Amino acid sequence: MRALLSLAIGSFGIGMTEFVVMGLLPNIARELVPGAWAASPDDAIAQAGWLISLYALGVVVGAPTIAGSVARFPRNRVMIVLAAALAFFTLLTVIAPTFELVAASRFLAGLPHGAYFGIGALVAADALGPGNRAKGVAFVLTGLTIANVVGVPLGTLLGQQVGWRAAFAVVTAIFLLATICIALFVPKHPGSPGRRLRDELRVFRIGQVWLALGIGAIGFGGFFAMYSYIAPMITEIAGQPEWAVSLVLVLVGIGMTIGNIVGGALADKDLRFWLFTGLVALGAASVGLALTAGWIVSLVLFAFLVAFCGSALSPAIQTRLMDVAEDNQSIAAALNHSALNIGNSLGAFLGGLAIAAGLGLVAPAWVGAVLAAGGLVVAIVAYRVEDRTGRHPDHRMPAAEAAQTAITGSIPTQG
């Protein structure tokens, strides 16, 4: 249990470091790009949105490459290094004096993210022994879930009151604690000496894998287009005080948590139907947010629904990717993490671009609707190609299981 708790501490820190920046964009923009802020706060916020995109790009690059490259090393030692790297790169965010250096630190901090979840899930899967392995993975995942419900809102509130760097200082301390706990309590765990990155990369030869990644990268970007700029929507469009951002983020975190659970059950019933329905619902919720963001009650309602629909799609997208990846399951799990973070980067970038173009702070919600529609188009194409060729995947991964792996980027092994 101490080993699982140690891993969960790290996943809690990852949840905070990835998402707390979204609630602090105005504060970050005000300090790091004061000239742009004085000329146009909207443009400064759009520029600060690059920090979200760069972190996500770090995840995209690091998830498959690090996970594949270190597979042969003892996993407990790899986890120590990854947790220490997360602490060091987050510390760079705290002390970096300029926007450019903070941006570089955010990219670097994203690199260990996916590998930590993927390898950590493998360690957790074996920690409790046969018959209880999935429970171990779920326990580690609770760290990220709690971070979205508790850590991110509290970190946002701290950053607003004390300074945004204080929030990342707390995250750095959490990663340091995780590093120490992993070193002390996670037992020896051998790697897979025979595995090499070049063997895993064969998954890219499969066309349906690219389409599945496209569904996640484009469709899930609809959620992040909203989430990245939720803070200025609350304060500038709905006219609420800064402290209200933390309360809304709690509800968004609850929506994400419930959505992940419900999405697994729905996708198990009919994956294709739920994938299509979920993308339509995500687009509709984004439109509702765009049309009614001026009223705080409706803003909260539709932000909750966007979060719910986005997270409910995660297990469906994971399931589809695992279904079409044939015998390349490990790298496919990591690639799912990359795809969703491309969505993170794309949503933040396009949302910021829309704001910078003078379309207003509600524009990211419209961008989210467009991205959800784009993901739907890719999904339709994928299934039509599959139906036309008659090449249906033999491997079917239960979506309830995928709900656990959608964020961790690894497959829970059943005993």
Side-chain angles (χ1 to χ4, degrees):
M1 182 58 70
R2 290 184 299 179
L4 296 180
L5 181 59
S6 300
L7 297 172
I9 292 171
S11 69
F12 181 91
I14 288 178
M16 281 194 67
T17 197
E18 180 174 17
F19 294 117
V20 75
V21 65
M22 298 172 182
L24 294 172
L25 274 187
N27 309 78
I28 295 172
R30 192 181 298 117
E31 177 184 329
L32 292 182
V33 284
W37 180 269
S40 171
D42 287 2
D43 289 348
I45 289 172
Q47 184 176 340
W50 275 95
L51 301 180
I52 300 171
S53 297
L54 287 169
Y55 181 90
L57 287 176
V59 180
V60 171
V61 173
T65 54
I66 294 178
S69 299
V70 303
R72 62 186 183 275
F73 298 111
R75 290 169 181 156
N76 58 306
R77 295 181 182 177
V78 171
M79 292 303 296
I80 295 172
V81 174
L82 291 174
L86 285 162
F88 177 72
F89 293 138
T90 304
L91 177 61
L92 291 183
T93 300
V94 177
I95 64 176
T98 67
F99 177 81
E100 291 77 14
L101 291 176
V102 170
S105 74
R106 296 309 294 155
F107 175 79
L108 293 172
L111 292 175
H113 174 130
Y116 181 95
F117 272 127
I119 298 171
L122 294 176
V123 174
D126 289 338
L128 294 183
N132 295 292
R133 292 179 174 182
K135 293 179 182 177
V137 176
F139 188 91
V140 175
L141 183 57
T142 59
L144 189 140
T145 302
I146 295 172
N148 277 292
V149 178
V150 179
V152 173
L154 290 179
T156 299
L157 186 62
L158 175 66
Q160 290 170 344
Q161 300 301 317
V162 181
W164 66 268
R165 295 179 189 271
F168 287 97
V170 170
V171 176
T172 301
I174 292 171
F175 284 137
L176 287 174
L177 176 62
T179 303
I180 294 170
C181 290
I182 292 170
L184 292 175
F185 302 125
V186 173
K188 292 182 179 180
H189 198 287
S192 303
R195 294 181 60 182
R196 295 293 185 271
L197 178 60
R198 63 177 178 271
D199 298 323
E200 298 285 349
L201 294 179
R202 289 178 297 185
V203 73
F204 289 111
R205 300 176 183 177
I206 305 171
Q208 283 289 351
V209 167
W210 286 100
L211 290 172
L213 292 173
I215 297 171
I218 299 173
F220 204 70
F223 162 69
F224 281 108
M226 178 280 295
Y227 197 20
S228 298
Y229 301 98
I230 187 66
M233 283 190 199
I234 295 168
T235 58
E236 302 300 323
I237 302 301
Q240 300 301 306
E242 275 194 338
W243 57 261
V245 175
S246 297
L247 296 181
V248 176
L249 289 177
V250 170
L251 295 175
V252 169
I254 293 173
M256 293 171 66
T257 302
I258 298 174
N260 193 53
I261 297 171
V262 174
L266 293 175
D268 266 339
K269 296 181 181 298
D270 190 330
L271 175 60
R272 181 186 303 204
F273 176 78
W274 172 241
L275 198 56
F276 291 168
T277 303
L279 287 165
V280 171
L282 177 60
S286 298
V287 171
L289 176 62
L291 293 175
T292 64
W295 295 275
I296 186 59
V297 174
S298 58
L299 183 151
V300 170
L301 172 63
F302 283 110
F304 177 90
L305 291 176
V306 170
F308 174 88
C309 294
S311 286
L313 280 168
S314 295
I317 295 170
Q318 174 74 74
T319 302
R320 176 63 183 173
L321 183 57
M322 303 306 294
D323 282 351
V324 301
E326 298 176 0
D327 61 344
N328 305 286
Q329 297 295 295
S330 296
I331 192 70
L335 285 173
N336 174 70
H337 210 79
S338 294
L340 298 186
N341 276 275
I342 290 175
N344 186 343
S345 179
L346 187 65
F349 171 72
L350 294 179
L353 203 62
I355 294 172
L359 300 180
L361 292 172
V362 175
W366 290 111
V367 171
V370 173
L371 289 174
L376 178 63
V377 171
V378 176
I380 292 172
V381 170
Y383 277 104
R384 285 191 175 180
V385 169
E386 183 177 278
D387 292 339
R388 188 182 305 117
T389 60
R391 297 182 61 183
H392 295 274
D394 295 327
H395 175 79
R396 295 287 180 181
M397 181 183 185
E401 180 178 306
Q404 296 177 355
T405 69
I407 299 179
T408 62
S410 184
I411 309 170
T413 306
Q414 302 297 331

